């Protein structure tokens, strides 16, 4: 997949920048889907995402002009597809600006360069098959692909660990895109492995742990509802505040430190919504741990049940689902070979994820389409994390 995307990107590079100086550096980084552990990240809890077999490639070439030119092949709406900016210098670091999409690229360059002026000018083409803004983390896949690209452009720079790379990309998104994202997307994009999910503790030192998830008879069906309700970001901030307030009233550093017993003991001091939100976070944290245990003994049925419970909890206790997500989940669950289905991501639209036996995949998609014709599907097993692509092996 990455290789095919790369071949396309090389063609676009030749068309944009001239075929006489072909790109000689390439990198790939995947998007992701969170399998269980929703709204636990900012409560210092556990998440369990997998890298998907969709991602972003960036191909390019050092140009020795002191200028950077990056073309994205994605649909970026009214913004220009070509971004041009000066390479960073020690006395003139990069700054975020227009087009906005390029801030994800510039942010990574800025964090990598760190005021040293070591990143040279280059030409590059970005090509992705992760849908933008649908909750499959096109943003982290762009950041991480950019980092793996820049590392090749600057081979003498300090070596970074996987965790350092993930945190660098998160900082890039905070500082240049102005999105205060958690750590999950960048960690899984850097560290994903085919046939494995990633158990990640969102409290430092994060302790990422790959978990085997390679049953050849099952596959994950991601269904994009293609809706995003306006209230999403306001409600997200409200949930964060409510969780913080609930943790404070329970005298815990965060909800991750609270048990169901603690919650019941403090029920009388919590407002009704604080109680329900906290109940979701606490039960969801437990579901992640039990999911890992189930997967490790090959009990996908149990894992599927936990996915279903997660959806119910997000819908009723956390109240971040919506009619469209409930619909696609409910339709999927009508098919016999479906183990579990749930909304994934922040909610109020975006995607659902369904664990289904391969032999029932088509039937499941047909069923969802019969009741929700606007559905867009992505089928994936746990995929590989970011990598350098050796262009000499592509045969182009
Ligand atoms: P998600 O990460 O879930 O896809 P975000 O809103 O976090 O959604 O990030 C989407 C934004 O990231 C896009 O609006 C765009 O600015 C940027 N982006 C992601 N992928 C690309 C790409 N291939 N080309 C240009 N911009 C991209
Ligand atoms: Mg994102």
């Amino acid at each position: 997949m990455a290789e095919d995307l790369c071949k396309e990107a090389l063609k676009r590079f030749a068309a944009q920048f001239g075929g006489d100086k072909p790109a000689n550096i390439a990198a790939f980084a995947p998007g992701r889907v969170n399998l269980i552990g929703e709204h636990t990240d900012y409560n210092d809890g556990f998440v369990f995402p997998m890298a998907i077999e969709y991602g972003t490639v960036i191909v390019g070439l050092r140009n020795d002009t002191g200028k950077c030119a990056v073309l994205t092949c994605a649909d970026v709406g009214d913004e220009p597809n070509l971004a041009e900016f000066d390479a960073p210098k020690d006395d003139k670091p990069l700054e975020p600006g227009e087009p906005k999409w390029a801030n994800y690229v510039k942010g990574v360059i800025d964090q990598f360069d760190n005021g040293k002026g070591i990143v040279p000018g280059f030409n590059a083409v970005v090509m992705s098959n992760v849908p933008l803004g649908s909750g499959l983390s096109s943003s982290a896949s762009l950041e991480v692909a950019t980092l793996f690209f820049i590392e090749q452009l600057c081979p003498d720079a300090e070596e970074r660990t996987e965790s350092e790379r993930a945190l660098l990309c998160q900082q890039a998104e905070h500082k240049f895109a102005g999105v205060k994202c958690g750590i999950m997307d960048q960690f899984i994009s850097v560290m994903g492995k085919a046939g494995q999910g990633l158990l990640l503790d969102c409290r430092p030192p994060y302790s990422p742990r790959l978990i085997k998830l390679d049953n050849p008879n099952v596959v994950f069906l991601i269904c994009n509802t293609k809706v995003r309700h306006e209230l999403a970001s306001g409600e997200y901030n409200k949930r964060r505040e409510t969780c913080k307030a609930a943790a404070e009233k329970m005298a815990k550093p965060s909800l991750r430190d609270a048990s169901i017993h603690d919650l019941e003991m403090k029920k009388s001091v919590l407002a009704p919504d604080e109680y329900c939100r906290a109940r979701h976070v606490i039960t969801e944290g437990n579901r992640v741990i039990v999911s890992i245990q189930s997967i490790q003994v090959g009990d996908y049925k149990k894992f599927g049940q936990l996915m279903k419970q997660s959806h119910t909890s997000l819908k009723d206790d956390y109240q971040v689902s919506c009619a469209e997500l409930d619909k696609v989940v409910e339709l999927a669950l009508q098919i016999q070979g479906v183990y579990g289905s749930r909304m994934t991501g922040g909610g109020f639209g975006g995607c659902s994820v369904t664990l289904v036996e391969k032999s029932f995949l088509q039937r499941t998609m047909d069923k969802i389409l019969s009741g929700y014709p606007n559905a867009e599907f992505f089928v994936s097993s746990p995929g590989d994390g970011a990598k350098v692509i050796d262009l000499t092996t592509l045969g182009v």
Side-chain angles (χ1 to χ4, degrees):
M1 184 279 289
E3 283 68 22
D4 290 337
L5 211 53
C6 204
K7 284 181 190 167
E8 284 301 307
L10 288 172
K11 282 188 209 154
R12 290 296 290 267
F13 187 91
Q16 179 73 25
F17 299 109
D20 51 329
K21 287 183 189 158
N24 64 356
I25 299 175
F28 163 84
R32 63 95 187 94
V33 65
N34 192 20
L35 299 176
I36 198 157
E38 214 65 75
H39 289 279
T40 46
D41 55 346
Y42 52 84
N43 290 294
D44 278 0
F46 292 93
V47 291
F48 184 54
M50 71 174 207
I52 53 176
E53 294 161 311
Y54 299 83
T56 302
V57 298
I58 171 163
V59 303
L61 175 72
R62 185 182 176 130
N63 64 16
D64 296 310
T65 63
K67 295 195 184 305
C68 306
V70 186
L71 177 83
T72 179
C73 304
D75 178 357
V76 283
D78 298 338
E79 296 201 303
N81 284 66
L82 182 68
E84 292 176 292
F85 50 93
D86 289 336
K89 300 195 184 67
D90 51 3
D91 57 346
K92 197 166 167 274
L94 292 185
E95 281 173 16
E98 304 283 337
K100 288 203 175 63
W101 68 263
N103 290 330
Y104 294 85
V105 174
K106 286 156 91 176
V108 171
I109 297 173
D110 175 71
Q111 292 296 301
F112 179 94
D113 193 69
N114 200 15
K116 298 194 191 95
I118 55 172
V119 176
F122 63 89
N123 297 337
V125 164
V126 172
M127 190 169 271
S128 181
N129 59 8
V130 184
L132 273 59
S134 295
L136 298 180
S137 204
S138 66
S139 60
S141 81
L142 175 57
E143 291 150 17
V144 175
T146 301
L147 178 58
F148 276 60
F149 176 85
I150 300 295
E151 285 180 347
Q152 294 175 77
L153 208 57
C154 306
D156 297 331
E158 61 172 297
E159 280 249 1
R160 290 179 169 85
T161 63
E162 288 181 318
S163 295
E164 285 167 348
R165 286 168 165 155
L167 294 169
L168 183 155
C169 290
Q170 181 204 25
Q171 284 306 306
E173 186 154 340
H174 285 194
K175 295 192 173 141
F176 270 61
V179 180
K180 291 272 177 275
C181 57
I183 53 151
M184 168 168 71
D185 302 356
Q186 291 80 7
F187 261 91
I188 182 64
S189 188
V190 170
M191 290 194 62
K193 288 269 175 300
Q196 307 191 52
L198 185 73
L199 174 64
L200 189 63
D201 185 346
C202 294
R203 173 176 277 170
Y206 311 114
S207 317
R209 223 179 104 199
L210 289 162
I211 306 288
K212 220 164 172 217
L213 186 57
D214 62 350
N215 182 332
N217 301 320
V218 299
V219 71
F220 290 94
L221 172 64
I222 297 158
C223 171
N224 185 2
T225 61
K226 296 200 188 159
V227 296
R228 162 120 337 254
H229 294 293
E230 276 308 309
L231 32 72
S233 70
E235 290 294 319
Y236 176 84
N237 293 335
K238 261 198 232 164
R239 294 298 178 283
R240 285 188 80 132
E241 280 162 27
T242 308
C243 287
K244 196 162 165 257
E248 271 165 21
K249 286 188 183 174
M250 294 168 74
K252 299 286 181 190
S254 72
L255 287 180
R256 178 254 180 79
D257 304 295
S259 67
I260 279 292
H261 178 72
D262 297 328
L263 181 71
E264 295 307 327
M265 297 292 285
K266 295 283 180 172
K267 188 168 182 181
S268 59
V269 302
L270 296 173
D273 68 328
E274 289 169 349
Y275 174 79
C276 290
R277 308 298 185 246
R279 185 165 64 182
H280 165 72
V281 174
I282 295 167
T283 57
E284 185 78 354
N286 295 339
R287 279 188 287 273
V288 177
I289 302 306
V290 182
S291 293
I292 301 302
Q293 292 163 351
S294 309
I295 290 165
Q296 283 174 328
V297 297
D299 190 349
Y300 283 63
K301 218 170 172 176
K302 175 78 184 166
F303 179 40
Q305 281 166 3
L306 292 158
M307 290 173 76
K308 284 190 242 178
Q309 289 168 14
S310 169
H311 185 80
T312 306
S313 177
L314 287 159
K315 172 171 169 272
D316 297 336
D317 272 351
Y318 219 65
Q319 298 186 327
V320 291
S321 190
C322 60
E324 294 85 351
L325 284 167
D326 291 344
K327 183 85 190 168
V328 295
V329 166
E330 181 215 316
L331 288 162
L333 291 175
Q334 288 174 29
I335 299 297
Q336 183 201 339
V338 166
Y339 290 99
S341 184
R342 57 181 287 272
M343 56 158 276
T344 181
F348 302 105
C351 296
S352 70
V353 59
T354 300
L355 176 60
V356 57
E357 275 177 30
K358 270 188 189 157
S359 51
F360 285 89
L361 176 64
Q362 190 58 51
R363 246 177 280 181
T364 310
M365 292 194 287
D366 292 344
K367 184 75 193 175
I368 294 175
L369 279 175
S370 73
Y372 193 83
N374 223 8
E376 175 190 26
F377 297 115
F378 300 87
V379 178
S380 187
S381 294
D384 269 324
K387 61 183 180 187
V388 163
I389 298 177
D390 179 357
L391 290 175
T392 61
T393 64
L394 276 190
V396 287

